[in-house]
Amino acid sequence: MRKRLGIGLMAVVGGCGQPAAKQDVATALPQIRVASVGAEQAPAIVSGVGTVALRREASLGFTSPGRIVRLTVNEGDRVRRGQLLAALDVTTVAADLTRARAERERAAAEYRRSTSLMAQGWITRPRLENAKASLEAAEAQVSAARFQTANATIVAPGGGTVLARLAEPGQVVAAGTPVLIVGEEASGYVLRVPLSDRDAAQLTMGAPAEVTLAALGDAPLAGRVIEIAGRSDRATGTFAIEIGLPDDKRLRSGQIGNVRITAAGPGTSEIRVPATAVFAPRAGDGFVYVVDRATKRVQLRRVTIGEATDAGIRVTGGLTRGEIVAVSRVDRLKDGMAIAPIGAAR
């Protein structure tokens, strides 16, 4: 009798202990916050590298050949409207003006004499007309010589900065040869970017752009597309795009900048996850724990990642929309571990 009672008591104790063990295992599972992976539509972005320049840059030269005797500015100098920048030796030009004036006086005297003889009937009308034509030609020569004399100097067309000095005093230059390049500061600075025909076709006037210049630090400048070339460059096949830049005294011609332009084309679908979901990032790769919906166990997975923003880290490969990832206590998880997920999957 006592033996049967002992066996029955052991059975009762064993039966009562089994649910308690199951309850302990359940409560021992770590509670981990999870998030559902979603995809969002990102605008199409066109990227490029360009050079900062003043929008209006003028190549200045002389209208007549000659020897340079004065260059009053150097590269980087600021100039004001009407300021003398360079001058030619006017010895030859002055001699041409003197010769033209002398020829005009001779032609005028000949015309007066021919007019008198015509009135007396000593010469024919064609001869008088020839004398008049010679006088007009002489006057034209005087005007041309005066023009060359007046333009034996280069003056600043407006306030700006000397960007390049292409000649030196004593150098003999031909008519029209660039001597100085001056940028007009009032025109403002732009970023000139060469783009392929495919990228240029996606842009519209006024499209917003984000410009980053290494010379100015990491803070980007806000700009807009203000000009799109109507034809490609014959040598490179690229289209020149101009991005208007804000007024900033730190800008200089020749600075190199990276630009991201919001294009008008269709956007791309991208996946972002909370920054806390990714760990051990290195060289564009990282790891996440993906939660199996059925077993509530985590699986270690390598993913490729892009840039990180306030919205999270962009995942370029390794995850699909709708999967669930762990976003808390990832340093305590192991591959295959069972967890108690917190947070509803979307």
Side-chain angles (χ1 to χ4, degrees):
M1 182 68 181
R2 291 180 180 178
K3 185 175 181 181
R4 292 180 180 178
L5 181 61
I7 294 174
L9 183 61
M10 291 176 62
V12 172
V13 172
C16 293
Q18 188 173 359
K22 291 183 179 180
Q23 185 176 2
D24 291 341
V25 172
T27 56
L29 294 178
Q31 295 184 339
I32 305 298
R33 293 190 177 276
V34 297
S36 179
V37 176
E40 58 184 22
Q41 196 72 10
I45 299 295
V46 173
S47 302
V49 179
T51 306
V52 175
L54 285 165
R55 191 177 187 190
R56 285 195 288 272
E57 299 178 353
S59 296
L60 306 179
F62 299 102
T63 58
S64 59
R67 182 174 63 87
I68 300 174
V69 293
R70 294 180 64 190
L71 268 174
T72 63
V73 292
N74 295 308
E75 293 184 8
D77 289 350
R78 296 182 180 274
V79 298
R80 65 183 184 280
R81 183 180 183 86
Q83 179 180 338
L84 176 66
L85 306 180
L88 286 177
D89 183 352
V90 295
T91 302
T92 302
V93 178
D96 291 340
L97 178 59
T98 301
R99 183 166 50 252
R101 285 173 174 170
E103 178 61 25
R104 183 184 61 180
E105 293 298 327
R106 186 201 65 77
E110 177 65 22
Y111 178 68
R112 288 193 298 269
R113 190 173 69 86
S114 297
T115 301
S116 177
L117 292 176
M118 179 67 184
Q120 299 174 20
W122 292 101
I123 62 173
T124 62
R125 179 164 294 279
R127 182 173 175 180
L128 176 63
E129 293 175 350
N130 287 338
K132 183 180 180 181
S134 297
L135 176 59
E136 292 175 348
E139 290 177 343
Q141 289 294 330
V142 171
S143 297
R146 283 177 177 170
F147 178 79
Q148 291 184 351
T149 302
N151 289 277
T153 59
I154 297 177
V155 296
T161 303
V162 178
L163 303 178
R165 173 169 160 162
L166 307 176
E168 296 297 331
Q171 184 175 338
V172 177
V173 294
T177 300
V179 175
L180 296 167
I181 298 178
V182 176
E184 184 180 341
E185 290 184 347
S187 64
Y189 283 94
V190 297
L191 184 75
R192 293 197 173 103
V193 185
L195 294 178
S196 66
D197 54 351
R198 183 175 181 179
D199 288 341
Q202 300 183 61
L203 302 183
T204 57
M205 296 294 292
E210 187 179 85
V211 178
T212 304
L213 301 173
L216 306 187
D218 297 331
L221 300 177
R224 289 191 174 275
V225 176
I226 59 174
E227 186 173 320
I228 302 174
R231 62 173 298 172
S232 64
D233 183 270
R234 293 181 182 273
T236 63
T238 58
F239 287 79
I241 309 298
E242 287 191 0
I243 310 297
L245 299 177
D247 186 17
D248 193 317
K249 296 187 180 301
R250 299 175 298 169
L251 292 174
R252 295 290 185 273
S253 289
Q255 292 173 333
I256 305 300
N258 294 280
V259 63
R260 288 168 52 85
I261 310 170
T262 302
T268 57
S269 181
E270 62 179 27
I271 292 176
R272 289 188 180 273
V273 297
T276 55
V278 180
F279 63 97
R282 182 178 180 182
D285 288 339
F287 293 90
V288 298
Y289 282 109
V290 180
V291 182
D292 186 277
R293 293 177 182 271
T295 64
K296 301 298 188 294
R297 292 182 179 275
V298 295
Q299 299 174 353
L300 181 64
R301 186 181 300 178
R302 180 194 294 268
V303 294
T304 55
I305 57 177
E307 74 282 354
T309 64
D310 293 340
I313 297 178
R314 184 166 65 94
V315 177
T316 58
L319 281 178
T320 58
R321 181 177 183 179
E323 290 188 300
I324 301 175
V325 295
V327 298
S328 69
R329 304 174 68 183
V330 294
D331 57 328
R332 301 184 182 183
L333 299 179
K334 294 182 179 180
D335 189 25
M337 179 184 293
I339 63 170
I342 301 177
R346 292 177 296 178

